[in-house]
Amino acid sequence: MDIAELQEIAQKERFSEKPVQIRCCVAAGCLSANSQTVKQRLEESVTSAGLEAQVQVTGVGCMRLCCNGPLVEVKEKNTDSLGTLYEKVTPEDAPSIIATLNGVETTVQKGDLAQPFFTYQMPIVLENSGKVDPERIQSYIAAKGYQALYHVLREMTPAEVVETVTRSGLRGRGGAGYPTGVKWATVAKAKGDAYGARSDRKFVICNADEGDPGAFMDRSVLESDPHRVLEGMAIAAYAVGANQGYIYIRAEYPVAINRLQTAIRQAQRLGILGSQIFDSRFDFKIDIRIGAGAYVCGEETALMASIEGKRGTPNPRPPYPAESGLWGYPTLINNVETYANISPIIRKGADWFASIGTEKSKGTKVFALAGKIRYTGLIEVPMGTPLQRIVEEMGGGVPDGRVVKAVQTGGPSGGCIPASAFDSPVDYESLTQLGSMMGSGGMIVMDDSTNMVDVARFFMEFCMDESCGKCIPCRVGTVQLHQLLTKIREGKASMADLELLEELCDMVKHTSLCGLGQSAPNPVFSTLRYFRDEYLALIAPVTSKT
């Protein structure tokens, strides 16, 4: 495979496209609402209408406005104008949608592609989502897929790739926001002389163990554009000197797993994965490891233990995986969204990427917008976008005449941000200052009917259930914290219990073994910081004994 063959595939794919494109979302959210049957009925209706030569029905990935699925978009080929979006489409709606191509009116619900939910988005990670067929590599190649990998292998040294990623300012999208280029450089330079590590191999891992309640960004990316992640991993492997990669993904993502498996087979068949990629001396294989769904396996040392066939529990650091990781070899771990950013950075340049976002948080961020909000789904916005814009303009605010109260970001490790702070930009530093964190991208909106003690108790229950039990502060501390929060919620607690709650949170934060235990008290801290009056209102009054 060379660039001419790659371009030939792309041209052949574009040439085969028919004048009218009908895209039907077949990501998990719409599939659960019967979109596969909708797609089948659309194809049958096209045939019945004798429009096979003019109309092409394609199953695509997430079209973002998940609350109104199944979604179908009708668009003419090679036009910049917006297509027509149909919402909540049923199989019975298919003939009516096809009839519109002959000028017949339809009563099927139409969406507005010019509304803020869509217009404020800046798709970089999601640029192919809802457009390419995730089950056909030709569709990805036609969208400039694998050109970045070819360019890297043919025209850049590994050091130049690392330097480009460093200069782009990309930070890990999995939680803490560690600079991606620094991590890549550490693995690239690792010689196995630290902590007795082994040196003759290196590994690349994609952390797809997305476990935060309400988060579905990574799942959607994998279901919608799996080749984008494979390409990012291959570029990373070339940069750090690895020849083997693993995607660690939970079993409850069967659609994503199936599409990844298909994508890997297709890439191997074309010589884009495997030995001598693009006729170079670079070899790279990717295997999938399926996890059982334990939340702690999102922590990188626990994840590696699970890949090695051991119980998925964390280990103290150092050594860090970049020095001594999988089976003692230097290992690079990034999450799905981080790898999905690599291809456009190579294609468009580090300066282009660094021009987006804020001074310290570059690029865009994908969020799963959920909770008590009018428009739920997947959004990708530039770093620094105010929360107000996301919640009120893109999300359409809270329905049923209620008032927005807070937004929870960062999952169980994050915190609750009150509406009074919604003018704050969404970036790593600002969210930390507000007592929350970026996390992987879950964003849950709450209205004024939400009791914040209930929120803290919910997340503590999650952490208690998901604690691996390896360290006492997390295993016992989360149980005691949950008991105290329950006591407060039932109106049986005293001020002494509230003081004990705060002391215990501090102990769990500073003595737990891994980041998951250390961050478990965060929802309690943030709700106490902004909604302390709700705790005090539940404290039982002291009964006088005189």
Side-chain angles (χ1 to χ4, degrees):
M1 172 73 72
D2 57 24
I3 191 66
E5 293 173 281
L6 201 65
Q7 291 173 343
E8 183 181 349
I9 293 172
Q11 289 173 355
K12 187 176 179 181
E13 180 70 11
R14 294 188 197 109
F15 184 76
S16 67
E17 291 177 354
K18 297 174 182 175
V20 176
Q21 298 289 307
I22 298 180
R23 297 164 178 158
C24 179
C25 179
V26 289
C30 282
L31 280 176
S32 65
N34 207 19
S35 70
Q36 191 63 49
T37 306
V38 170
K39 176 175 176 285
Q40 181 182 339
R41 293 288 179 86
L42 285 168
E43 292 169 334
E44 292 170 356
S45 299
V46 168
T47 302
S48 300
L51 296 173
E52 302 100 312
Q54 293 82 37
V55 181
Q56 182 174 4
V57 179
T58 305
V60 297
C62 183
M63 297 169 73
R64 306 177 200 177
L65 193 58
C66 304
C67 60
N68 285 349
L71 298 171
V72 172
E73 183 184 12
V74 180
K75 193 174 188 304
E76 291 185 16
K77 180 184 176 183
N78 297 330
T79 63
D80 294 328
S81 59
L82 296 176
T84 302
L85 180 68
Y86 294 99
E87 301 175 339
K88 299 182 179 179
V89 179
T90 66
E92 292 72 26
D93 292 332
S96 178
I97 292 174
I98 299 304
T100 64
L101 301 175
N102 291 321
V104 179
E105 292 294 325
T106 179
T107 58
V108 180
Q109 179 175 321
K110 291 183 181 177
D112 182 8
L113 290 169
Q115 66 170 300
F117 181 87
F118 295 107
T119 57
Y120 281 132
Q121 298 212 27
M122 178 181 282
I124 294 176
V125 170
L126 302 178
E127 66 177 331
N128 292 331
S129 182
K131 296 180 179 177
V132 303
D133 183 343
E135 297 186 349
R136 297 184 69 250
I137 191 172
Q138 296 88 344
S139 184
Y140 180 68
I141 291 173
K144 301 181 180 178
Y146 290 115
Q147 288 188 11
L149 177 60
Y150 185 89
H151 174 73
V152 160
L153 295 182
R154 291 291 183 170
E155 300 178 28
M156 297 177 74
T157 65
E160 288 173 335
V161 178
V162 173
E163 193 272 338
T164 299
V165 173
T166 303
R167 217 159 33 81
S168 75
L170 176 65
R171 296 169 64 171
R173 299 302 197 239
Y178 191 78
T180 303
V182 174
K183 182 182 281 189
W184 286 29
T186 304
V187 179
K189 294 174 183 175
K191 298 178 180 178
D193 52 358
Y195 306 100
R198 305 161 80 177
S199 62
D200 54 327
R201 296 188 72 185
K202 293 178 182 176
F203 293 101
V204 165
I205 295 175
C206 175
N207 184 349
D209 192 62
E210 184 178 53
D212 289 356
F216 53 90
M217 307 77 54
D218 290 352
R219 188 203 73 206
S220 293
V221 171
L222 292 171
E223 290 174 348
S224 305
D225 201 9
H227 285 285
R228 171 67 79 85
V229 179
L230 300 186
E231 184 175 14
M233 289 181 68
I235 292 170
Y238 173 73
V240 304
N243 297 116
Q244 174 68 55
Y246 292 99
I247 299 174
Y248 188 84
I249 183 170
R250 49 184 50 213
E252 60 204 65
Y253 284 2
V255 177
I257 292 170
N258 288 338
R259 289 181 183 165
L260 277 171
Q261 291 170 333
T262 299
I264 291 172
R265 285 196 300 271
Q266 292 172 340
Q268 289 173 333
R269 201 173 299 132
L270 291 182
I272 295 174
L273 285 180
S275 301
Q276 300 180 329
I277 295 173
F278 285 127
D279 296 327
S280 71
R281 293 188 294 178
F282 174 60
D283 303 335
F284 184 56
K285 286 179 56 183
I286 296 178
D287 291 315
I288 296 174
R289 291 292 181 268
I290 298 174
Y295 182 68
V296 74
C297 284
E299 198 278 339
E300 55 189 19
T301 61
L303 182 154
M304 291 189 298
S306 183
I307 290 178
E308 291 174 353
K310 304 172 186 172
R311 183 178 178 184
T313 55
N315 289 304
R317 296 177 295 178
Y320 291 94
E323 301 163 307
S324 177
L326 204 55
W327 292 294
Y329 294 102
T331 301
L332 174 68
I333 304 179
N334 283 131
N335 84 328
V336 170
E337 187 178 344
T338 308
Y339 285 123
N341 269 299
I342 299 303
S343 171
I345 288 174
I346 298 297
R347 280 191 280 114
K348 299 182 180 180
D351 293 340
W352 163 78
F353 190 84
S355 69
I356 302 166
T358 64
E359 181 181 356
K360 295 182 178 179
S361 299
K362 304 298 186 184
T364 59
K365 182 73 189 79
V366 180
F367 291 102
L369 193 57
K372 294 179 177 178
I373 194 166
R374 192 177 306 275
Y375 302 121
T376 60
L378 216 57
I379 62 168
E380 182 176 7
V381 292
M383 290 282 193
T385 300
L387 266 171
Q388 180 81 23
R389 171 169 291 179
I390 294 174
V391 175
E392 297 290 352
E393 297 184 60
M394 301 182 72
V398 176
D400 303 326
R402 303 208 69 97
V403 177
V404 63
K405 183 175 187 178
V407 166
Q408 206 277 347
T409 67
S413 301
C416 297
I417 302 169
S420 58
F422 276 12
D423 58 345
S424 302
V426 177
D427 58 39
Y428 291 101
E429 286 70 29
S430 298
L431 292 181
T432 301
Q433 288 174 4
L434 290 169
S436 187
M437 62 184 295
M438 185 74 75
S440 58
M443 186 175 281
I444 301 173
V445 180
M446 305 164 196
D447 68 14
D448 56 351
S449 69
T450 306
N451 183 286
M452 303 312 286
V453 178
D454 280 340
V455 172
R457 184 172 173 272
F458 167 79
F459 283 111
M460 191 55 65
E461 183 176 11
F462 179 88
C463 292
M464 177 183 70
D465 290 343
E466 292 291 341
S467 175
C468 73
K470 186 169 183 175
C471 74
I472 293 174
C474 178
R475 183 179 72 233
V476 179
T478 53
V479 173
Q480 294 182 340
L481 285 169
H482 183 260
Q483 289 174 346
L484 281 169
L485 288 165
T486 301
K487 192 175 180 182
I488 293 171
R489 188 66 184 96
E490 292 175 348
K492 300 176 181 176
S494 64
M495 285 302 295
D497 291 315
L498 188 60
E499 292 170 6
L500 180 60
L501 178 76
E502 293 181 273
E503 290 176 12
L504 197 53
C505 280
D506 188 69
M507 185 277 292
V508 172
K509 176 180 179 179
H510 290 100
T511 59
S512 291
L513 172 61
C514 76
L516 301 184
Q518 292 162 11
S519 59
N522 283 353
V524 181
F525 281 132
S526 68
T527 50
L528 279 169
R529 177 178 172 180
Y530 297 113
F531 305 98
R532 193 178 191 87
D533 57 325
E534 295 192 23
Y535 283 83
L536 294 175
L538 292 167
I539 298 296
V542 178
T543 302
S544 174
K545 296 181 180 178
T546 59

